[in-house]
Amino acid sequence: MELYTINNPAQHKTLTTPTQPITDTTPQEVIDQLNVIYDRVKNPKNNARWLALPQIGQSYSAFVICAPDTHQPSKPGRHKKGATYLQGMFINPVITEYSETLLPAYKETCLSEPGTYRRVKRPEQITITYTNHKWELRENIIINWNRARVIQHE
């Protein structure tokens, strides 16, 4: 599975174009790829933590994460012993509310921008509506701390 980066002009376009929602007319290939990255991210042996469909060349609105429940940011590929994880597939996610309280600035990087780091402040808590891997609509779910940071990044 090739990861798209902004360094490649053709891939840059995919990464910066607004995504399409996933619907019942979305090609099965896209759904299959989403399931592959979900299986990869939820397996701690793979050291993958979060990935969005545009990062593999599919301009659809979905991502998967495995983010620890912690106040501190986590480093990709390092699962914390004893931590609980928000592990899931977020299809057609919409953040409906942001808290006014911000998390401390954290130096973030992205697989799509290799070698680039930016200090980013993000809201501490978000409310999100999305469809999960079982195709169930999840409405007004409150997520905070590191999990909120990861979701906002994706």
Side-chain angles (χ1 to χ4, degrees):
M1 171 177 358
E2 178 185 12
L3 292 179
Y4 276 39
T5 69
I6 63 167
N7 299 334
N8 178 312
Q11 294 174 353
H12 184 274
K13 183 174 170 53
T14 298
L15 291 167
T16 57
T17 299
T19 57
Q20 304 172 55
I22 292 178
T23 66
D24 56 356
T25 62
T26 299
Q28 185 60 43
E29 170 191 325
V30 173
I31 305 304
D32 293 345
Q33 286 183 313
L34 183 58
N35 286 317
V36 166
I37 63 172
Y38 179 62
D39 289 341
R40 180 175 178 170
V41 167
K42 73 180 184 176
N43 182 346
K45 292 180 182 177
N46 289 327
N47 288 329
R49 297 295 287 284
W50 38 81
L51 197 63
L53 277 178
Q55 291 174 286
I56 60 167
Q58 297 294 339
S59 194
Y60 288 90
S61 186
F63 63 89
V64 296
I65 68 169
C66 183
D69 182 17
T70 176
H71 290 273
Q72 300 299 319
S74 61
K75 299 194 183 326
R78 296 187 186 164
H79 288 264
K80 296 178 185 264
K81 284 190 174 185
T84 58
Y85 286 81
L86 171 63
Q87 179 176 287
M89 181 184 296
F90 292 73
I91 301 167
N92 301 328
V94 176
I95 297 174
T96 56
E97 284 185 54
Y98 297 88
S99 68
E100 291 183 21
T101 306
L102 299 177
L103 293 163
Y106 179 70
K107 192 164 83 172
E108 292 185 18
T109 187
C110 183
L111 294 172
S112 300
E113 294 186 72
T116 302
Y117 295 86
R118 292 187 177 89
R119 294 194 69 75
V120 180
K121 284 188 176 184
R122 297 192 185 274
E124 180 180 87
Q125 181 174 293
I126 59 172
T127 303
I128 187 169
T129 295
Y130 65 97
T131 299
N132 68 17
H133 70 286
K134 295 179 182 177
W135 298 97
E136 300 165 332
L137 181 63
R138 304 282 307 204
E139 295 183 278
N140 301 315
I141 305 301
I142 297 172
I143 300 175
N144 50 32
W145 305 315
N146 187 55
R147 293 171 174 178
R149 181 187 302 275
V150 171
I151 287 172
Q152 290 172 79
H153 177 91
E154 290 306 323

